[in-house]
Amino acid sequence: THDRTLIDNLATRIIELDRGVLRSYPGSYQRYQAVKARELQAEADGDRKFEKTLAQEESWIRQGIKARRTRNEGRVRRLEALREERAERRSRQGNVKMQLAGGEASGKLVVEARGVGFGYEGEAVIGDFSTLVLRGDRIGIIGRNGSGKSTLLKLLLGDLEPDVGSIRLGTKLEVAYFDQEREQLNSELSVRDNLSDGSDRITINGKSRHVIGYLGDFLFPPARANSPVKTLSGGERNRLLLAKLFSRPANLLVLDEPTNDLDVETLELLEELLVNYQGTLLLVSHDRSFLDRTVTSTLVLDGSGGIEEFVGGYTDWLRQRSAVPVPAKKSRVKGAADPPTRPDNPGRQKNLSYKEQKELEKLPELIEALETEQSAIQARTTDPDFYGRAPDEIAAAMKELSDVAARLQEAYARWEEIDG
């Protein structure tokens, strides 16, 4: 599996296949990462010393007549052994080099959905859903397989017309859409033709590059560039589609299961790229760690048409969901908790203790203060310039937002408990 959270929660030993050699690492995945990093550093240090020694011996053998007269046969044999060792050395596969071409800033409004409903053959997939996506939002979408995640993306992009309600797209949108079926790739064409339509050069961020060099950034060797796409593995197809999308300017990045078949190193690099992305992001993924690191709010589909929105990533959703059981809503304001249901008979009240009565009197003021604080933090995080700040500052703000949302849920739950 490439699911790092699953590995770390379950594994007691990591077995790694690296350049034809199997190695065993007892302990968790995090421990393996730390040990492997030290090993790679030691290997790199050893490689530098080896190359230095080889260069010195090659220089010595090229000194000419004088060197040949005084040549030590043992030293010659050593040089031959060094050359043979170098020929047999296997370097680690390089990492993908991704750069996302940033487009012109979109309008402040990216997508507005009002009362959207959609179904297939009379069965509701999306029911009475409303939301507002603003420039700079980073939204994760989760749900069971078949719950309608890809359908929701297509509705928000205008690729599908809703059965009821309306979708309004903002201005100056430049969309890069990674579809999990990879329909943008022509299986019969070669790798290079899918990327550049037969041209030898491609323009990336305003600079002309040879298509073979650009494909090399995504780990395609020159010989692979002319292979038909139908011969590629799943991971290779994912890398090719990412190369195709990232070659074009985009201010709205829509990724539907981009992590499938990606190795861990490429996945982590994609994470880093998305964290630094300045545009708007819509992301469907089952990778919990990936969502936690890249999104700031999460849409959760319940499979029967209901959609809830929570502040934060996957882990934040789990915490907020467990804080109080809230029925699935068809539309919610970002991060806002549902107001408590009032009793059907307002004249019938619980017998409250003095302490509970005092707590009940203070709860509305507390909830109002928390909602005000939540709105102020959300206003900061929706500013497009917010994600250009230092990572520590961004993480602190998102933690603050998540903590406020959790306290707000607790306050509403307590109000219902006392006054329900």
CSV table of all heavy atoms in Angstrom, one decimal, residues 57 60-61 66-80:
chain,number,residue,atom,x,y,z
A,57,GLU,N,42.8,8.5,-9.3
A,57,GLU,CA,43.4,7.4,-9.9
A,57,GLU,C,43.4,7.6,-11.5
A,57,GLU,O,44.4,7.2,-12.2
A,57,GLU,CB,42.8,6.1,-9.5
A,57,GLU,CG,42.9,5.7,-8.1
A,57,GLU,CD,44.4,5.7,-7.7
A,57,GLU,OE1,45.1,4.8,-8.2
A,57,GLU,OE2,44.8,6.5,-6.8
A,60,TRP,N,46.0,10.0,-12.3
A,60,TRP,CA,47.4,9.4,-12.2
A,60,TRP,C,47.7,8.6,-13.5
A,60,TRP,O,48.8,8.7,-14.0
A,60,TRP,CB,47.4,8.5,-11.0
A,60,TRP,CG,48.7,7.7,-10.9
A,60,TRP,CD1,49.9,8.0,-10.6
A,60,TRP,CD2,48.7,6.3,-11.3
A,60,TRP,NE1,50.8,7.0,-10.7
A,60,TRP,CE2,50.1,5.9,-11.1
A,60,TRP,CE3,47.8,5.4,-11.8
A,60,TRP,CZ2,50.5,4.6,-11.4
A,60,TRP,CZ3,48.2,4.1,-12.1
A,60,TRP,CH2,49.6,3.7,-11.9
A,61,ILE,N,46.7,7.8,-14.0
A,61,ILE,CA,47.0,6.9,-15.1
A,61,ILE,C,47.2,7.7,-16.4
A,61,ILE,O,47.7,7.2,-17.4
A,61,ILE,CB,45.8,5.9,-15.3
A,61,ILE,CG1,46.3,4.6,-16.0
A,61,ILE,CG2,44.6,6.5,-16.0
A,61,ILE,CD1,47.3,3.8,-15.2
A,66,LYS,N,56.1,9.3,-17.9
A,66,LYS,CA,56.7,9.3,-16.6
A,66,LYS,C,55.9,8.3,-15.7
A,66,LYS,O,56.5,7.5,-15.0
A,66,LYS,CB,56.8,10.7,-16.0
A,66,LYS,CG,57.4,10.7,-14.6
A,66,LYS,CD,57.4,12.1,-14.1
A,66,LYS,CE,58.0,12.2,-12.7
A,66,LYS,NZ,58.0,13.5,-12.1
A,67,ALA,N,54.6,8.4,-15.7
A,67,ALA,CA,53.8,7.6,-14.9
A,67,ALA,C,53.9,6.1,-15.3
A,67,ALA,O,54.0,5.2,-14.5
A,67,ALA,CB,52.3,8.0,-15.0
A,68,ARG,N,54.0,5.8,-16.6
A,68,ARG,CA,54.1,4.4,-17.1
A,68,ARG,C,55.4,3.8,-16.6
A,68,ARG,O,55.4,2.6,-16.4
A,68,ARG,CB,53.9,4.4,-18.6
A,68,ARG,CG,52.5,4.6,-19.1
A,68,ARG,CD,52.3,4.1,-20.5
A,68,ARG,NE,53.1,4.9,-21.5
A,68,ARG,CZ,52.7,6.0,-22.1
A,68,ARG,NH1,51.5,6.4,-21.8
A,68,ARG,NH2,53.4,6.6,-23.0
A,69,ARG,N,56.4,4.6,-16.6
A,69,ARG,CA,57.7,4.0,-16.2
A,69,ARG,C,57.7,3.6,-14.7
A,69,ARG,O,58.4,2.7,-14.3
A,69,ARG,CB,58.9,5.1,-16.4
A,69,ARG,CG,59.2,5.2,-17.9
A,69,ARG,CD,60.3,6.3,-18.0
A,69,ARG,NE,60.7,6.4,-19.4
A,69,ARG,CZ,61.3,7.5,-19.9
A,69,ARG,NH1,61.7,8.5,-19.1
A,69,ARG,NH2,61.6,7.6,-21.2
A,70,THR,N,57.0,4.4,-13.9
A,70,THR,CA,57.0,4.2,-12.5
A,70,THR,C,55.7,3.5,-12.0
A,70,THR,O,55.4,3.5,-10.8
A,70,THR,CB,57.1,5.5,-11.7
A,70,THR,OG1,56.0,6.4,-12.1
A,70,THR,CG2,58.4,6.2,-12.1
A,71,ARG,N,55.0,3.0,-13.0
A,71,ARG,CA,53.7,2.5,-12.7
A,71,ARG,C,53.7,1.3,-11.7
A,71,ARG,O,54.5,0.4,-11.9
A,71,ARG,CB,53.0,2.0,-14.0
A,71,ARG,CG,51.5,1.5,-13.8
A,71,ARG,CD,50.9,1.3,-15.1
A,71,ARG,NE,50.8,2.5,-15.9
A,71,ARG,CZ,50.7,2.6,-17.2
A,71,ARG,NH1,50.7,1.5,-17.9
A,71,ARG,NH2,50.7,3.7,-17.8
A,72,ASN,N,52.8,1.3,-10.7
A,72,ASN,CA,52.7,0.2,-9.8
A,72,ASN,C,51.6,-0.7,-10.3
A,72,ASN,O,50.4,-0.2,-10.4
A,72,ASN,CB,52.3,0.8,-8.4
A,72,ASN,CG,52.2,-0.3,-7.4
A,72,ASN,OD1,51.4,-1.2,-7.5
A,72,ASN,ND2,52.9,-0.2,-6.3
A,73,GLU,N,51.9,-2.0,-10.6
A,73,GLU,CA,50.9,-2.8,-11.2
A,73,GLU,C,49.7,-3.0,-10.2
A,73,GLU,O,48.6,-3.2,-10.7
A,73,GLU,CB,51.5,-4.2,-11.5
A,73,GLU,CG,52.5,-4.1,-12.7
A,73,GLU,CD,51.9,-3.6,-13.9
A,73,GLU,OE1,50.7,-3.9,-14.2
A,73,GLU,OE2,52.6,-2.8,-14.6
A,74,GLY,N,50.0,-3.0,-8.9
A,74,GLY,CA,48.9,-3.2,-8.0
A,74,GLY,C,47.9,-2.0,-8.1
A,74,GLY,O,46.7,-2.1,-8.0
A,75,ARG,N,48.5,-0.8,-8.3
A,75,ARG,CA,47.6,0.4,-8.4
A,75,ARG,C,46.8,0.4,-9.7
A,75,ARG,O,45.7,0.8,-9.7
A,75,ARG,CB,48.5,1.7,-8.4
A,75,ARG,CG,47.8,3.0,-8.2
A,75,ARG,CD,48.7,4.1,-8.0
A,75,ARG,NE,48.0,5.3,-7.8
A,75,ARG,CZ,48.6,6.5,-7.6
A,75,ARG,NH1,49.9,6.6,-7.5
A,75,ARG,NH2,47.8,7.6,-7.4
A,76,VAL,N,47.4,-0.2,-10.8
A,76,VAL,CA,46.6,-0.4,-12.0
A,76,VAL,C,45.5,-1.3,-11.8
A,76,VAL,O,44.3,-1.0,-12.2
A,76,VAL,CB,47.6,-0.9,-13.1
A,76,VAL,CG1,46.7,-1.2,-14.4
A,76,VAL,CG2,48.6,0.1,-13.5
A,77,ARG,N,45.7,-2.4,-11.1
A,77,ARG,CA,44.6,-3.4,-10.8
A,77,ARG,C,43.5,-2.7,-10.0
A,77,ARG,O,42.3,-3.0,-10.2
A,77,ARG,CB,45.2,-4.6,-10.2
A,77,ARG,CG,46.0,-5.5,-11.1
A,77,ARG,CD,46.2,-6.9,-10.5
A,77,ARG,NE,47.0,-6.8,-9.3
A,77,ARG,CZ,48.4,-6.9,-9.3
A,77,ARG,NH1,49.0,-7.0,-10.5
A,77,ARG,NH2,49.0,-6.8,-8.2
A,78,ARG,N,44.0,-1.9,-9.1
A,78,ARG,CA,43.0,-1.2,-8.2
A,78,ARG,C,42.1,-0.3,-9.0
A,78,ARG,O,40.9,-0.2,-8.8
A,78,ARG,CB,43.7,-0.4,-7.1
A,78,ARG,CG,42.7,0.4,-6.2
A,78,ARG,CD,43.5,1.3,-5.3
A,78,ARG,NE,42.6,2.0,-4.4
A,78,ARG,CZ,42.9,3.1,-3.8
A,78,ARG,NH1,44.1,3.7,-3.9
A,78,ARG,NH2,42.0,3.7,-3.0
A,79,LEU,N,42.7,0.4,-10.0
A,79,LEU,CA,41.9,1.3,-10.8
A,79,LEU,C,40.9,0.5,-11.7
A,79,LEU,O,39.8,0.9,-11.8
A,79,LEU,CB,42.9,2.1,-11.7
A,79,LEU,CG,42.2,3.0,-12.8
A,79,LEU,CD1,41.2,4.0,-12.1
A,79,LEU,CD2,43.2,3.8,-13.6
A,80,GLU,N,41.4,-0.6,-12.2
A,80,GLU,CA,40.5,-1.4,-13.0
A,80,GLU,C,39.3,-1.9,-12.1
A,80,GLU,O,38.1,-2.0,-12.6
A,80,GLU,CB,41.2,-2.7,-13.6
A,80,GLU,CG,42.2,-2.3,-14.6
A,80,GLU,CD,43.1,-3.5,-15.1
A,80,GLU,OE1,43.1,-4.5,-14.4
A,80,GLU,OE2,43.8,-3.3,-16.1
